[in-house]
């Protein structure tokens, strides 16, 4: 049997070659090549990261920060280029979630968390 890491690298290659990844990559490039979309996307990403960082540190998020995040999300969702990127990212995330479920089956079986038993 091959080294388990060889399989992981083969899976990485398959993901990179997948239609879903290629579509995500194209959508990302479209956002990065449009100055307005790029600025909006970077603002959205920065807002997300700042809020996540505060949550991880156990800090309170102010109402002002929540409102700012809502406004940024609305702007991003109204931008068709960014909306396409988010849609493509979601598609790829579904596939990665499915793959994760498949590769964690042995652990689920060992610990008795087999979905088929419930």
């Amino acid at each position: 049997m091959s080294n388990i890491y060889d399989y992981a690298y083969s899976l990485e290659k398959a993901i990179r070659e997948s239609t879903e990844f290629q579509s995500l990559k194209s959508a990302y490039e479209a956002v990065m090549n449009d100055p307005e979309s790029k600025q909006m996307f970077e603002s959205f990403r920065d807002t997300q990261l700042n809020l996540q960082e505060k949550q991880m540190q156990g800090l309170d998020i102010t109402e002002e920060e929540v409102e700012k995040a809502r406004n940024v999300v609305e702007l991003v969702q109204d931008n068709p280029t960014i909306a396409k990127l988010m849609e493509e990212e979601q598609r790829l995330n579904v596939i990665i979630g499915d793959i994760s479920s498949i590769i964690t089956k042995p652990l689920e079986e060992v610990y008795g968390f087999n979905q088929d038993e419930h």
Side-chain angles (χ1 to χ4, degrees), residues 4 6 23 38 40-41 61-62 66 71 78 80 85-86 90 92 94-96 102 117-118:
I4 197 164
D6 293 340
S23 295
K38 180 180 178 181
M40 202 178 295
F41 180 72
I61 297 172
T62 67
V66 170
N71 291 337
D78 288 342
L85 172 59
M86 294 172 83
Q90 181 59 32
L92 187 58
V94 167
I95 291 169
I96 290 172
I102 292 166
E117 293 176 5
H118 296 278

Side-chain angles (χ1 to χ4, degrees), residues 13-28:
K13 183 179 181 201
I15 289 170
R16 286 181 188 276
E17 293 173 353
S18 73
T19 303
E20 292 81 4
F21 180 79
Q22 293 302 319
S23 295
L24 172 67
K25 193 173 170 185
S26 293
Y28 180 79

Side-chain angles (χ1 to χ4, degrees), residues 31-50:
V31 168
M32 292 298 114
N33 289 326
D34 176 45
E36 182 182 337
S37 296
K38 180 180 178 181
Q39 186 276 328
M40 202 178 295
F41 180 72
E42 288 174 350
S43 175
F44 169 71
R45 190 172 50 194
D46 290 345
T47 300
Q48 262 188 326
L49 291 174
N50 288 337

Side-chain angles (χ1 to χ4, degrees), residues 2 7 51 81 113:
S2 294
Y7 290 115
L51 293 178
T81 309
F113 299 129

